Every structure is written in structure tokens, then in C-alpha cells.
Amino acid sequence: MTAARIAQELTADLRVGPLEDLYRDLHRHPELSAREYRTAARLAERLNGAGYDTAEGIGGTGVAAVLRNGDGPTVLLRGDMDALPVAEQTGLSYTSETPGVMHACGHDLHITWLAAAAEALAAGRDTWSGTLVVVGQPAEETGRGAHTMIADGLYERVPRPDVLLGQHAAPGPAGLYAHVPGLIMSATTDVDIVVHGTGGHGSRPESTVDPVVTAAYIVTRLQTVVSREIAARHSAVLTVGKIEAGARHNIIPSEARIGLNLRTQATEVRDRMLAAIRRITEGECLAAGCPRPPEITASGDFPLTVNDAATDARIAAVHREMFGDDTVIDPGPAMGSEDFPHLAEGGIPYSYWFVTSTPQDIWAQATGSDLHEMLASVPGNHSPLFAPDLTTVGPGVRTLVSGALACLEL
């Protein structure tokens, strides 16, 4: 019997109602990165109840559970747990009860899928052999959660896996599964800039070096980095996400701070962008007569997410059998980023895919001449309006169950 057929049998009696209740509960109680105590406890409770050997507090709030079931491969299923500092505007009956914090990226759905898939695989352990590792990962949004779990001895507490599997809710008409056999997500780098000026009274600008004006020139010139320094064949994004300066209307401050976010799909492109940022920033500060050079710090790296082609082809094939050929698509690499590859320490092969989750009534209102334009017209990840369709609860469990079975001994 195929992995898809077994997965169908193991999830035939899936109780979607209680899973939706779990999802609503997680959505009502979002927790920021590295503070996922309640979420981790809920996941650990379900894993313990399903017969897993469960460890908590790995890398802070991380959860890892093991189910040993005879000889065979070790397969790791991962779900991330953290929410975002976003004020929810969905108007849902189960809206966030934590002011200014929201599950705007679908991680509440990820944990619901993960818990139910782990339970289904445990209940059907007579159909497969091997070892299953289930990881509830903290702080994905910071890019540090997976690395922190590894640094805290994750693979000393659980068996080192032979393959990693992960999935993510994404905008798009509910019912599609996006697989890319290779590069699927971009690398991210954060850059912080401090411009030093000479502060003073707003009535005597001639006695100051205004860092706000200098910062404005820097921000304007940075817009040319992608358009004039990166070849058109490369994909790259430079976003100025933060600019801070001053405290009063009539005070020229002594410094200004700029926060940048870079998205790249090749190391050489990242390096070229960083060099351009440094050159432009230092040049503008020199031109303004700043009293000392700017501080430029690169941090917060998310790695490239590159699927192992053979592993991803195997998972995509079982998803086609489960849901139909027309449900599995290859949209090409996205500019979004993930820290999931940090779990692949030492080159463990992995497959990472997307589950589209836009409600049909919302998708019906999408505008644009192609898929990418339509996706941009509906609420996406990190939007205060992001609200996955609850019809994806069951299918998202089945994608994980069938993916795991495709890698275990049957």
C-alpha cells in the first residue's frame, strides 16, 4: 500500500471540529518570539498524550518529542510557534486577546497541523517503522529559533534525523500545495545604521550637523542599489523598514538610526548590496561633515532555503496522489525567508512546501492579470488581516502525515 493510501486511512476519521477549536485557542493566545510558554505547553501535552517521549525548554521554549517504532529512517516534522507584534484587524470571533500581538503568519495553524499529524502517526504506528521526531520551534520570526535549539543540544536529546519536513501557510486559493525542487525561499539580512551628527537648537541649524537630513539622503540613495547595481537577472529587495531620530520639534538630534532589510537569492548579490550600502552611507556622512563615521552593522541572517530535489520530488508525488495532480504547483522561489534550514545542520536533506490558505470568498475578490498580482491583492503573511481558511485544517494534517510516511519504512 502506498504512503498516500495509508495516510488516507490514518486520517479518515480525523476530528476536524476539535482541531479547529485548538486552532482558535492558539489564535486567541498568541505569544511573541521566545515567549511561547503556553503554546509549547499545549503542544507538549498533546504529544505526551499520544505516547511520545517529550522534552521541553530546548533553546528556551522549544519542544522536541520522539516516537521510536522499530528499524527504519528517522524523520523530523517541524512547526514554528511564535506570533508577531501586529494588532489584529480580522474581526474574527476568535481574534487575538493579547493587545498588539497576533498570529499574522499562520504559526497557530502550523502547530495545529503538527499536533494532529503526530497523533495520527502515533495511532497508526502499526503501518510504518522507523523513528519520528516532532519539533515545536520557537522564535522563527527572529531567525534565531532553530539555531538556538541546535546550540542547546537538540540532536543530543533526540536522534539526528535522516530527513526534515516542514510546511507553511501562504496566500493563494485554499487547496494548493507549492513545491519547488531547489531554491524555494530567499536569504535575509538586517542592517542597522547609526548616523552621527552634532545636535543643537532648531533656531540655529548652522551650528549643527543635522543627522536627519543626512539620513534622508541615505534612504533616497539606497533606492538605487537594486535598480542600478544589481543585474536584472538577479532577484533582490532592499527595504527601509525603520528610521528613528529626534525627541522634540525644536531640537536637532545628535544621531539618526536606519533599519534595513535585504532579501537575496545568491551570496554574491548580498555581498554586493552590503558593499553598496556601506559606500553610500559613508559617502553621505562625509559629504554632510558628520563628526565621526557612521556605524553599520549586519545581523539577523536567515539562510537560503534550498530543497533537496529528490526528497521534495518524493513528497510532491505523494501529495499529488493524495489531493490530485492539479493541486501541486511550482511557483518558483519566494522572496520570503525561513530559519528552518538551520535544523539541517551538516547537510540533512529536507523538503519544505507551502499550503495555500486564502478563503474562497476573499480569493474571488483578488485582482490582477497573473497569479503574482492576485496574491499581492489579498491579505498575506504579516498582514493584520491575515486569516487562513479553516478548511485547510484537515488537508494540512494530511500533507504532513503523507509526507512522513513517504520517508518512513512501510
Side-chain angles (χ1 to χ4, degrees), residues 204-222:
R204 299 185 62 236
E206 74 280 3
S207 68
T208 72
V209 177
D210 192 338
V212 177
V213 174
T214 303
Y217 276 114
I218 292 170
V219 169
T220 301
R221 283 293 304 275
L222 288 176

Side-chain angles (χ1 to χ4, degrees), residues 127-369:
T127 64
W128 57 272
S129 62
T131 298
L132 194 61
V133 178
V134 177
V135 170
Q137 183 207 302
E140 184 277 332
E141 297 291 354
T142 69
R144 296 191 293 270
H147 176 75
T148 301
M149 289 191 78
I150 292 292
D152 196 26
L154 174 63
Y155 293 148
E156 297 167 11
R157 306 186 194 204
V158 303
R160 183 178 176 83
D162 298 303
V163 65
L164 310 175
L165 302 180
Q167 62 183 10
H168 204 297
L176 298 178
Y177 309 95
H179 281 270
V180 181
L183 176 66
I184 186 169
M185 298 191 79
S186 304
T188 295
T189 303
D190 291 334
V191 180
D192 290 291
I193 298 171
V194 181
V195 177
H196 297 285
T198 301
H201 200 288
S203 67
R204 299 185 62 236
E206 74 280 3
S207 68
T208 72
V209 177
D210 192 338
V212 177
V213 174
T214 303
Y217 276 114
I218 292 170
V219 169
T220 301
R221 283 293 304 275
L222 288 176
Q223 306 311 307
T224 68
V225 172
V226 173
S227 65
R228 289 296 176 267
E229 302 203 33
I230 303 301
R233 67 180 180 276
H234 294 300
S235 294
V237 174
L238 188 159
T239 297
V240 179
K242 180 174 68 174
I243 182 164
E244 299 174 343
R248 293 285 298 273
H249 294 71
N250 64 346
I251 300 174
I252 294 173
S254 59
E255 68 177 35
R257 296 176 177 269
I258 305 170
L260 311 179
N261 182 257
L262 313 184
R263 306 273 170 161
T264 56
Q265 296 180 351
T267 301
E268 61 270 22
V269 174
R270 173 187 179 274
D271 293 344
R272 186 178 180 89
M273 292 177 73
L274 289 174
I277 290 165
R278 181 171 295 278
R279 186 190 72 245
I280 288 169
T281 302
E282 291 177 346
E284 291 293 347
C285 289
L286 182 64
C290 290
R292 57 192 175 104
E295 299 171 36
I296 305 168
T297 307
S299 63
D301 282 346
F302 286 76
L304 292 170
T305 302
V306 183
N307 280 328
D308 175 71
T311 301
D312 191 65
R314 185 161 70 249
I315 306 304
V318 76
H319 288 169
R320 288 191 186 93
E321 187 178 349
M322 281 284 293
F323 304 106
D325 287 343
D326 58 346
T327 66
V328 177
I329 61 173
D330 180 351
M335 291 308 297
S337 302
E338 252 285 358
D339 74 344
F340 175 72
H342 285 310
L343 294 176
E345 181 190 48
I348 301 170
Y350 60 81
S351 174
Y352 184 92
W353 63 90
F354 294 107
V355 178
T356 58
S357 61
T358 304
Q360 292 300 332
D361 59 333
I362 300 297
W363 186 253
Q365 302 172 35
T367 58
S369 59

Side-chain angles (χ1 to χ4, degrees), residues 5-26:
R5 289 286 186 87
I6 296 173
Q8 288 170 343
E9 288 192 358
L10 295 187
T11 58
D13 297 324
L14 196 65
R15 299 177 62 209
V16 175
L19 291 181
E20 291 179 354
D21 290 341
L22 172 62
Y23 167 73
R24 292 187 187 98
D25 177 72
L26 295 173

